[in-house]
């Protein structure tokens, strides 16, 4: 089906920036959305951002709006999450997710394909 592989996580100081990548491979869809979720121990997986592959329309969680930017390079089958003005509470494992559905929402169950996750740690 579809395989997703995240990369780009690491350690960054509060106020700094980091860019995550999500490389997609496998079958193609006439409609596809890529999203980013994040999760910390003891908390539910949290929606971060979503992008429609065709056209590039975006949607963000309120917690990251204005700081994070989701984008994609269709020629490389790769999505990105640019994270600026990072805060301590942004620390989490970040997961890339994909869905061929018509406007998937913000629930993990809305997405069919998942990457393995990449750790982002924000220090003071």
């Amino acid at each position: 089906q579809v395989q997703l592989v995240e990369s780009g996580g690491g350690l960054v100081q509060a106020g700094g920036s980091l860019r995550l990548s999500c490389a997609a491979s496998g079958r193609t869809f006439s409609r596809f959305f890529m999203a980013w979720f994040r999760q910390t121990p003891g908390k539910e997986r949290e929606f971060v951002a979503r992008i429609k592959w065709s056209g590039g329309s975006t949607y963000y969680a309120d917690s990251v709006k204005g700081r994070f930017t989701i984008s994609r390079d269709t020629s490389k089958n790769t999505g990105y999450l640019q994270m600026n003005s990072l805060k301590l509470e942004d620390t989490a494992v970040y997961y890339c997710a994909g869905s061929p559905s018509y406007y998937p929402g913000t629930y993990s169950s809305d997405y069919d394909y998942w990457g393995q996750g990449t750790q982002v740690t924000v220090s003071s």
Side-chain angles (χ1 to χ4, degrees):
Q1 291 289 325
V2 174
Q3 295 79 47
L4 303 175
V5 179
E6 305 98 331
S7 62
L11 176 65
V12 63
Q13 288 188 317
S17 299
L18 205 62
R19 189 176 80 159
L20 307 182
S21 298
C22 177
S25 62
R27 67 165 293 178
T28 59
F29 298 93
S30 59
R31 180 184 297 107
F32 188 76
F33 289 82
M34 181 177 285
W36 290 91
F37 288 76
R38 63 188 183 185
Q39 188 169 29
T40 57
K43 297 182 64 177
E44 295 183 356
R45 191 163 295 187
E46 176 189 17
F47 171 82
V48 175
R50 181 193 71 205
I51 187 167
K52 186 178 182 181
W53 209 255
S54 179
S57 63
T58 60
Y59 179 75
Y60 298 91
D62 289 341
S63 59
V64 305
K65 192 172 184 178
R67 299 188 298 120
F68 291 10
T69 302
I70 188 170
S71 62
R72 83 278 188 264
D73 185 336
T74 57
S75 68
K76 297 181 178 180
N77 293 320
T78 300
Y80 304 95
L81 184 68
Q82 178 67 47
M83 305 184 293
N84 298 326
S85 301
L86 283 162
K87 304 175 180 179
L88 294 178
E89 54 264 41
D90 294 320
T91 295
V93 176
Y94 283 72
Y95 296 90
C96 178
S99 173
S101 300
Y102 180 75
Y103 278 100
T106 61
Y107 297 100
S108 296
S109 59
D110 292 338
Y111 297 85
D112 303 299
Y113 308 104
W114 292 86
Q116 82 289 347
T118 184
Q119 177 71 48
V120 173
T121 302
V122 183
S123 64
S124 61

